[in-house]
Amino acid sequence: MLFGASFIAIVGGAIVAFMLGALWYSPILFGKAWMKYKGNSDPQASPVVYEPLAKKWLETSVLFGVVAAQIGIIGDLQSLLILAIVLWAGFTLPSHYLGHAFGGHPVLMKIIDAGYHLCAFALIGVVYAVLG
């Protein structure tokens, strides 16, 4: 337990968010469109660096679990999904919006990225509801 959050839930949340990203940015879902908006049509030209992504989702899952434990909602799916939306809207969405705005990225690229992060936060909430 880490501040009331289960290690299994912490790692599980990070894993499902990371796996969602692999699917989200694959050609099956939004990978082709995202690469087009990025201005690069060759996926091999932009190799994925997995370590920072894995660390980011592990840190996010820890933060999610600590907040959920401190407000006493671990195991309550509805409350955890609300927390996912609040954390996404309060922390992730503003920083992504600014990054994309100053980067001059197209609106659809912003939507793809924002949608991924919202879904990843929601999946972390589901993991905490199931694994506590």
Side-chain angles (χ1 to χ4, degrees):
M1 298 289 261
L2 179 68
F3 299 104
S6 152
F7 284 117
I8 295 171
I10 290 170
V11 173
I15 290 170
V16 297
F18 188 84
M19 289 173 55
L20 175 65
L23 178 62
W24 195 270
Y25 291 103
S26 76
I28 296 169
L29 291 180
F30 303 107
K32 289 178 185 176
W34 191 84
M35 291 298 285
K36 180 181 122 186
Y37 297 130
K38 185 179 175 198
N40 185 353
S41 60
D42 181 11
Q44 300 303 325
S46 298
V48 177
V49 182
Y50 295 104
E51 184 181 346
L53 294 171
K55 286 180 181 177
K56 176 250 199 282
W57 284 114
L58 186 59
E59 292 165 357
T60 300
S61 187
V62 168
L63 172 68
F64 192 100
V66 169
V67 172
Q70 294 305 305
I71 60 177
I73 61 169
I74 288 183
D76 179 357
L77 180 60
Q78 182 177 354
S79 296
L80 288 164
L81 291 176
I82 291 169
L83 176 63
I85 293 168
V86 168
L87 291 176
W88 172 79
F91 295 103
T92 302
L93 188 59
S95 63
H96 276 274
Y97 177 77
L98 285 174
H100 282 295
F102 286 109
H105 299 128
V107 172
L108 288 176
M109 188 175 180
K110 296 174 194 176
I111 292 169
I112 291 170
D113 285 342
Y116 163 57
H117 284 87
L118 177 59
C119 291
F121 271 71
L123 280 177
I124 292 170
V126 170
V127 169
Y128 275 95
V130 174
L131 300 176

